[in-house]
Amino acid sequence: MTEQQYEKISKPFRVSERRKQALILSNRMATLLVYAAYPAALVAAYQYSFRHLLISILVPGAAFILLSVFRSWYHAPRPYEKLSIDPIIKKDTKGKSFPSRHVFSAFMIDMVIFSVSKPIGIIYLFLAILIGIVRVIGGVHFPKDVIAGAVCGIAGWFAGNGMISLVMAFL
């Protein structure tokens, strides 16, 4: 993404303080809705089975730690560090942009939700996508950051499930 591309995608939100605040509020509310749904998804997973509850805690937890370690090591700059832009979403963080941990978490939580309720999982899939779009328009992530976060969230869920199933088959 270039400065010109960022200015183009963010312009509709920059021309109006109301739109700018709506984008910031969308970021907060969508993130809050996803994070708040995780405990409810864990309760539903427990009602499904204790094994499903363990998977729904261990897989996201382990994947979150691995992703965080990678981000710290890779230390990719954020758009407002690399480009001469004024981000709509204000953040003081330096680096740790790739992959987006917000988007990763939203997609990982969506996978937990989807595993216990497909209709609700579809709704939360749209929230996860919204978070990715808002974080790019807000200037805190590049498109590649949010795409990688989504892929890591989805792939991490399936890979983690596969590994746990394999281990449990040998126990």
Side-chain angles (χ1 to χ4, degrees):
M1 178 167 63
T2 65
E3 291 168 16
Q4 294 78 18
Q5 290 169 324
Y6 177 71
E7 291 301 322
K8 185 177 179 180
I9 64 170
S10 66
K11 185 176 180 177
F13 299 93
R14 291 180 181 286
V15 297
S16 161
E17 189 61 31
R18 180 177 267 168
R19 288 182 189 171
K20 189 176 181 181
Q21 292 305 316
L23 184 78
I24 293 166
L25 183 62
S26 295
N27 179 58
R28 288 185 187 139
M29 293 307 296
T31 301
L32 180 65
L33 282 170
V34 170
Y35 291 167
Y38 184 53
L42 293 178
V43 169
Y46 177 70
Q47 290 175 344
Y48 189 78
S49 74
F50 183 71
R51 178 180 183 268
H52 198 75
L53 173 64
L54 284 177
I55 289 170
S56 298
I57 293 170
L58 295 176
V59 171
F64 184 85
I65 290 167
L66 289 172
L67 186 92
S68 296
V69 168
F70 174 79
R71 280 168 37 113
S72 291
W73 170 79
Y74 191 70
H75 204 62
R78 292 180 177 272
Y80 55 81
E81 292 177 274
K82 195 170 183 180
L83 308 173
S84 294
I85 64 168
D86 180 28
I88 295 172
I89 298 172
K90 302 299 180 197
K91 211 164 161 56
D92 293 331
T93 306
K94 301 289 186 204
K96 301 178 187 172
S97 183
F98 180 85
S100 167
R101 201 163 49 188
H102 270 81
V103 174
F104 162 81
S105 297
F107 275 87
M108 181 63 78
I109 292 168
D110 179 55
M111 293 292 98
V112 173
I113 294 168
F114 194 80
S115 74
V116 294
S117 173
K118 289 181 182 27
I120 297 172
I122 290 169
I123 292 167
Y124 275 84
L125 174 65
F126 287 110
L127 277 175
I129 292 168
L130 174 66
I131 290 169
I133 292 168
V134 166
R135 307 248 343 134
V136 171
I137 294 170
V140 294
H141 283 293
F142 289 104
K144 66 180 173 72
D145 301 338
V146 300
I147 292 167
V151 169
C152 288
I154 295 167
W157 173 254
F158 287 109
N161 264 297
M163 289 191 321
I164 288 176
S165 294
L166 188 63
V167 167
M168 293 182 109
F170 286 104
L171 297 177

